[in-house]
Amino acid sequence: MKLTLYWHPQCQTCRKTKKWLDEHQVPYEPFHIVKAPPSREMLQEMYEKSGLELKYFFSTSTKKYREMGIKNKLKTSTTKELLDLLASDGMLLKKPILTDGVKVIIGFKEEELEKYTTLDF
């Protein structure tokens, strides 16, 4: 299955991930995380497959995260409410998100990316 990369061109970590994939000739389909964010359903699927706590899907460095008081919402909101919040604005998502439909990588993790160089796409 082809990889899907949700990224933002101004994000340094996103550019690093994209460059790594290009240099290693790993095929992927890029999506601008703000212009074409993953759907709420896709976010739920990625969350369930990732094995991560939902808080790791939030970009804590954004102004919007701080203004909306999301740090406190993480403690009191349901999973459904948090997924709805993530789906409402691509800038709230930690970037980049790379998935093959089974595995999900958030951020730049070279050791995880290495596994994709051995796959036959």
Side-chain angles (χ1 to χ4, degrees):
M1 175 178 239
K2 192 174 196 176
L3 296 175
T4 301
L5 175 67
Y6 291 98
W7 77 300
H8 192 279
Q10 294 175 337
C11 167
Q12 183 176 343
T13 308
C14 294
R15 290 193 309 263
K16 186 175 180 179
T17 300
K18 190 173 184 310
K19 180 180 177 187
W20 192 97
L21 292 169
D22 291 341
E23 287 176 351
H24 290 84
Q25 299 178 343
V26 177
Y28 61 93
E29 187 171 359
F31 288 93
H32 191 293
I33 204 161
V34 176
K35 294 178 182 176
S39 68
R40 192 226 179 267
E41 293 77 21
M42 178 60 86
L43 287 169
Q44 182 168 350
E45 187 177 320
M46 287 191 286
Y47 160 62
E48 291 169 355
K49 290 180 178 181
S50 73
L52 298 171
E53 292 180 52
L54 195 52
K55 68 180 182 179
Y56 294 112
F57 279 79
F58 283 90
S59 178
T60 59
S61 63
T62 63
K63 183 178 177 183
K64 194 166 200 173
Y65 178 90
R66 291 185 299 277
E67 287 176 348
M68 294 178 73
I70 294 175
K71 182 178 180 179
N72 294 327
K73 289 181 182 185
L74 289 172
K75 299 172 188 173
T76 60
S77 299
T78 66
T79 299
K80 180 188 179 318
E81 290 169 334
L82 293 174
L83 284 167
D84 288 342
L85 189 57
L86 282 170
S88 72
D89 188 337
M91 286 305 289
L92 290 175
L93 289 161
K94 180 118 175 130
K95 298 167 258 325
I97 300 174
L98 184 68
T99 184
D100 63 0
V102 177
K103 186 167 181 62
V104 178
I105 301 172
I106 299 176
F108 180 81
K109 296 181 176 80
E110 188 168 2
E111 62 281 354
E112 301 265 339
L113 293 173
E114 287 283 341
K115 296 173 186 174
Y116 288 118
T117 61
T118 60
L119 300 176
D120 183 22
F121 289 96

